[in-house]
Amino acid sequence: MVTVVVIINTLISLLLFYVAWQIWQIKGRIAWITDRLTAYQQCSQNLLSQAPQNLDISQQNIRNLRLGNQSLQLQLQQVRQIVSLLLLGQRLSKRYIRQSHSFGRTKTVPKTRINNSNLSR
């Protein structure tokens, strides 16, 4: 009977030792996770502490780009107007050249229409 009690106590001790060892392993994992989370928190804190300044700089850069874009839009509009004026001038000059050539031409009679009777006189 004493032997049975000793064996049961030994089994209980081994079981409790295994549970204690597992708890020790979990404690190490929790400590590692805690360290990682603390490092992540500090990195994010550093990034977020600079966020307002970075946002201000970004907003200023956007304002500058918009101003530059406005002047470029104005220049683009002026270039488009110049190109359309040039195209209008080109069309008008072609029309003028066609009209001036048609006024300066003399009408020629085709050879088939010439009367032989007019030649003999």
Side-chain angles (χ1 to χ4, degrees), residues 24 29 35 37 41 43 46 51 55 61 67 87 93 110 112 114:
W24 186 267
R29 288 182 190 152
D35 291 341
L37 288 176
Q41 188 269 338
C43 288
N46 290 338
L55 286 174
N61 289 338
L67 289 175
L87 290 174
S93 67
T112 57
I114 297 178

Side-chain angles (χ1 to χ4, degrees), residues 9-47:
N9 281 340
T10 306
L11 289 176
I12 291 173
S13 297
L14 289 174
L15 180 66
L16 291 176
F17 178 74
Y18 176 76
V19 169
W21 182 69
Q22 288 295 323
I23 292 173
W24 186 267
Q25 293 290 326
I26 292 171
K27 179 184 169 189
R29 288 182 190 152
I30 291 173
W32 182 82
I33 291 171
T34 303
D35 291 341
R36 298 305 314 163
L37 288 176
T38 303
Y40 293 152
Q41 188 269 338
Q42 287 192 354
C43 288
S44 63
Q45 178 70 27
N46 290 338
L47 288 174

Side-chain angles (χ1 to χ4, degrees), residues 51-66:
Q53 181 183 2
N54 291 339
L55 286 174
D56 289 341
I57 291 170
S58 297
Q59 286 176 346
Q60 184 63 39
N61 289 338
I62 288 172
R63 280 189 217 107
N64 292 339
L65 286 173
R66 284 185 179 157

